[in-house]
Amino acid sequence: MTDALVRTVDPRFRPAGRTYPQIWSSLLARGGIGKTAFTTSMTVTLALRGYQITVWDLDQQCNASSGLGWGPQEIGSRPTILDFILGDASYEEVRVQARYKLAQGVDHEGNEFVEWMDIPNLYLMPATEFLTNADTLLTQTEHAHRYSWFKDFLRDEYDGDDDMFFIDNPANYGKLVGTVAMMMDEHDEVIPTCLASSKAVEGIPSLIKELSRLREQFSKSKAIPGRPTVKRIPLIGVQTGSRAEADNRKSVLEMEELYPELVKDWPYIRYSATAKTSFRDHLPLPIQAPNSPAVEDYRKLATAWGFPDLE
Ligand SMILES: Nc1ncnc2c1ncn2[C@@H]1O[C@H](COP(=O)(O)OP(=O)(O)OP(=O)(O)O)[C@@H](O)[C@H]1O
Ligand SMILES: [Mg+2]
């Protein structure tokens, strides 16, 4: 690589002089409250603004991977994040460029084709349905050396130029989730995406409790930061006007009352009917509907959170 091609990383993304990127993690142990929608929409928004991000998909449902062009069907026999966790493939071997389907059909010779378009600056550690076995596999002797895989990777192996790592979590506080969360400190962020619904609001106290538990567990550790921190909560799918559903409206008011310092000042992400189809079509919302109100809100949120357009 020539010097001209080497990317310089803004020191803000190497907080406290550390050698690995700032980590953001979409986490709340409730299903269907927008973790993945937020992960894909926000990372695509930031990547299109020039920030280099690698999304780590820890969920065996592989929704973030599918949304970024690498669902189980596209992955085929390529290595996945599980191979990385077990030490059978390197970061470089597993990491792929995020992409989306530009066209699909049958050509004039009758062959099926799919045309992909890369999403600049955005990369992915793709998930697999076999992630459910990760904890069990790590207890086996041949994988014993990988017990602290995330810590070892960050501290001893990583030498890349990502600005940020963005984690998409499954809806639980299991071992896999904890192994990653324990490496976060107050320079990183746990982001409990909150789809305006009572289900999400009710999940927040147990998240706060779980994070305190991790903090307590690692309070004396020198090797493990163990300080995953919530600094802000994005409210998404917010309905406006007189036709807003009662639960949606009530959830927003409750969040403003219960966590004013975490939701205040940030633009809300408005409800988007397209968000549902973009999920089904495996297209990130900013690609499918770049001019929709929700995507406009993601851009506003990116600006409000200190990510101006670098392009
Ligand atoms: N701005 C929005 N407006 C309306 N609906 C939205 C919006 N953003 C996301 N949604 C919808 O919320 C639903 C749940 O989203 P998502 O799959 O991201 O949740 P999740 O927390 O990742 O779920 P799981 O725990 O199963 O992984 C999806 O159907 C999605 O389309
Ligand atoms: Mg999800």
Side-chain angles (χ1 to χ4, degrees):
M1 200 187 271
T2 67
D3 281 353
L5 292 175
V6 176
R7 235 184 125 252
T8 329
V9 179
D10 185 328
R12 73 180 268 206
F13 296 117
R14 295 290 182 275
R18 71 194 199 191
T19 55
Y20 54 90
Q22 185 174 39
I23 304 170
W24 278 15
S25 181
S26 193
L27 178 59
L28 187 64
R30 293 277 161 134
I33 47 85
K35 295 183 292 297
T36 302
F38 181 80
T39 298
T40 54
S41 299
M42 196 60 173
T43 55
V44 170
T45 300
L46 296 181
L48 293 177
R49 287 191 162 191
Y51 299 90
Q52 185 173 303
I53 298 173
T54 295
V55 172
W56 295 62
D57 188 356
L58 291 183
D59 188 356
Q60 80 276 358
Q61 296 182 99
C62 310
N63 291 339
S65 302
S66 300
L68 297 176
W70 293 97
Q73 205 182 335
E74 288 81 30
I75 280 290
S77 57
R78 288 182 67 110
T80 68
I81 198 166
L82 181 60
D83 299 291
F84 172 77
I85 292 172
L86 297 177
D88 296 332
S90 69
Y91 177 66
E92 290 75 18
E93 284 164 342
V94 173
R95 188 172 172 259
V96 287
Q97 177 111 36
R99 56 184 193 168
Y100 62 92
K101 221 178 255 183
L102 197 60
Q104 182 169 20
V106 179
D107 67 17
H108 56 277
E109 283 165 5
N111 299 316
E112 281 184 21
F113 75 92
V114 178
E115 200 180 331
W116 295 96
M117 185 69 139
D118 284 346
I119 303 176
N121 305 316
L122 191 57
Y123 299 85
L124 169 74
M125 294 294 276
T128 154
E129 56 186 332
F130 301 111
L131 268 175
T132 33
N133 301 329
D135 293 347
T136 316
L137 290 167
L138 283 169
T139 61
Q140 293 171 355
T141 326
E142 75 249 47
H143 299 301
H145 67 292
R146 293 296 291 172
Y147 190 76
S148 305
W149 60 274
F150 197 59
K151 168 172 148 299
D152 295 346
F153 171 69
L154 295 184
R155 290 284 166 84
D156 307 329
E157 297 158 29
Y158 180 78
D159 65 354
D161 60 356
D162 298 281
D163 289 326
M164 300 177 81
F165 283 163
F166 215 107
I167 318 290
D168 194 43
N169 289 283
N172 65 55
Y173 301 126
K175 180 91 174 52
L176 193 58
V177 172
T179 301
V180 171
M182 74 190 194
M183 287 309 294
M184 299 173 69
D185 64 29
E186 52 284 304
H187 300 292
D188 306 303
E189 287 194 43
V190 167
I191 305 188
T193 60
C194 182
L195 191 70
S197 67
S198 44
K199 189 187 196 183
V201 179
E202 285 162 11
I204 292 179
S206 59
L207 170 72
I208 308 276
K209 213 157 120 193
E210 182 59 24
L211 298 184
S212 314
R213 197 192 60 76
L214 269 178
R215 219 169 247 270
E216 182 67 23
Q217 186 181 346
F218 295 105
S219 60
K220 299 209 168 56
S221 170
K222 286 206 173 66
I224 305 213
R227 297 188 300 281
T229 310
V230 177
K231 296 183 192 169
R232 43 198 167 190
I233 302 181
L235 283 175
I236 69 178
V238 174
Q239 295 173 344
T240 51
S242 56
R243 287 162 69 192
E245 284 166 25
D247 187 60
N248 194 291
R249 188 196 300 271
K250 184 166 158 266
S251 309
V252 174
L253 290 174
E254 263 175 21
M255 289 300 291
E256 289 171 342
E257 199 179 305
L258 292 169
Y259 310 102
E261 71 292 356
L262 298 177
V263 300
K264 64 155 197 219
D265 297 340
W266 316 127
Y268 297 161
I269 309 293
R270 275 168 283 177
Y271 179 86
S272 159
T274 318
K276 298 228 184 314
T277 52
S278 73
F279 187 74
R280 189 195 62 208
D281 297 343
H282 294 165
L283 276 175
L285 194 58
I287 301 289
Q288 181 161 45
N291 300 317
S292 64
V295 173
E296 196 181 295
D297 296 337
Y298 273 109
R299 286 193 290 265
K300 279 190 200 151
L301 192 61
T303 304
W305 284 6
F307 294 84
D309 199 339
L310 303 175
E311 305 275 278

